[in-house]
Amino acid sequence: MTPPTPLRDLYERARATGRPLIGGHRGNPAEAPENTLASFRSALDLGVDMIECDVHPSSDGELMVIHDHTLDRTTNGSGLVVQHTLAELRQLDAGRGERLPLLRELLELVSGRAGLCIELKQIPIAYPGLEERVVGLLREHQLVEQIAVISFLHSSVRRLKELEPDLQVGILEGARPIDPVGLMRGALADIYAPHYGAMDPELVRAVHAAGGSVGVWTVDDEQAVAWCRACRPDSVFTNRPREILPALLQ
Ligand code: G3P
Ligand code: CA
């Protein structure tokens, strides 16, 4: 069996060809409950190159896929994810009868089918030791080279790279800083991941000149697609892969 292409090579190809990698942001949340296996399967069936997900730990140290620090918006539970055990979390309904996935279940689903971008949700509540646990799981599944891990907490990104230099890591940004490449260097990042509205052509040129990749979120309408065509980022994450994937490939 041919081993899956390392994510670093996929990003290099995207830079060279100008054809961005297209990712399902929280899977395909336009058509299935976000961050559930149903949502991820739906995005994979539509042919995305990558999946994006968000991770928090349970109180007993399991890595759970869910966006918010709290359970209230996306499940029938309430309170902080980190104050519940895996057994408690697995009883919850994450929408249409779906359960909160474990990160290991998502790794098994995407392995050999797509790349995966894992966001560690470390702000405003940071989880000490989360980086070690994630790197340990990726090593156990021999998927270090197929995965990117990103965070708004840039010290967490740096910690990940120090732990595992073969892992692609990325810094998230909502603003347009004066020196994005400087921020990447400070965090030892391979990927600069801004909101698409905080991207401009000069930013993409600067990151490329420094050997990095640009991955943007969340591109869900025609204007956002047009801006990506103008700026040419290397990966684009969308909540609406059914419409946006063909639009970006036109
Ligand atoms: O991929 C980055 C993006 O997901 C960050 O924002 O709130 O959707 O997790 P959020
Ligand atoms: Ca996210």
Side-chain angles (χ1 to χ4, degrees):
M1 195 175 99
T2 316
T5 312
L7 201 53
R8 178 189 290 112
D9 296 352
L10 292 181
Y11 267 105
E12 271 175 22
R13 198 182 303 160
R15 267 209 306 274
T17 62
R19 189 285 206 196
L21 301 170
I22 299 166
H25 183 255
R26 310 182 198 175
N28 179 12
E31 299 178 21
E34 68 174 55
N35 273 324
T36 62
L37 292 181
S39 183
F40 299 130
R41 277 194 205 102
S42 172
L44 289 170
D45 289 347
L46 289 169
V48 297
D49 304 296
M50 294 185 74
I51 292 287
E52 188 263 2
C53 73
D54 306 282
V55 165
H56 295 261
S58 66
S59 62
D60 43 358
E62 296 292 339
L63 298 172
M64 309 303 303
V65 178
I66 179 169
H67 181 272
D68 299 357
H69 280 75
T70 52
L71 296 162
D72 302 62
R73 181 179 63 84
T74 59
T75 77
N76 60 346
S78 68
L80 291 169
V81 177
V82 73
Q83 288 181 345
H84 292 76
T85 62
L86 171 64
E88 289 166 342
L89 294 170
R90 291 290 246 184
Q91 284 174 8
L92 301 177
D93 187 338
R96 296 184 209 163
E98 288 292 311
R99 301 288 147 198
L100 291 179
L102 283 156
L103 181 57
R104 74 169 66 242
E105 292 173 320
L106 178 54
L107 293 181
E108 283 157 16
L109 180 68
V110 300
S111 181
R113 289 186 73 184
L116 178 64
C117 181
I118 301 169
E119 180 182 351
L120 300 190
K121 287 295 191 191
Q122 298 266 47
I123 295 176
I125 301 171
Y127 303 115
L130 185 60
E131 299 85 0
E132 283 82 351
R133 267 181 268 163
V134 170
V135 166
L137 185 68
L138 300 186
R139 285 182 180 147
E140 189 188 311
H141 285 255
Q142 300 184 313
L143 284 172
V144 165
E145 295 193 340
Q146 274 68 49
I147 309 282
V149 186
I150 61 176
S151 185
F152 281 106
L153 186 64
H154 296 182
S155 57
S156 181
V157 175
R158 187 181 173 99
R159 177 81 189 128
L160 287 159
K161 194 66 169 185
E162 286 169 347
L163 285 169
E164 179 46 79
D166 287 339
L167 182 66
Q168 294 281 290
V169 298
I171 50 172
L172 283 160
E173 263 296 336
R176 172 41 162 119
I178 294 168
D179 182 11
V181 170
L183 290 183
M184 288 181 75
R185 291 206 175 107
L188 306 175
D190 309 284
I191 302 163
Y192 185 84
H195 182 266
Y196 77 87
M199 162 181 70
D200 55 64
E202 176 48 33
L203 181 145
V204 176
R205 267 194 296 276
V207 172
H208 284 175
S213 302
V214 177
V216 295
W217 40 280
T218 1
V219 171
D220 290 342
D221 58 33
E222 278 174 31
Q223 288 75 17
V225 168
W227 192 231
C228 288
R229 285 219 187 85
C231 299
R232 303 176 78 84
D234 308 293
S235 60
V236 174
F237 290 86
T238 177
N239 292 312
R240 299 177 55 217
R242 188 179 298 279
E243 293 84 13
I244 299 301
L245 197 147
L248 276 165
L249 296 183
Q250 262 172 26

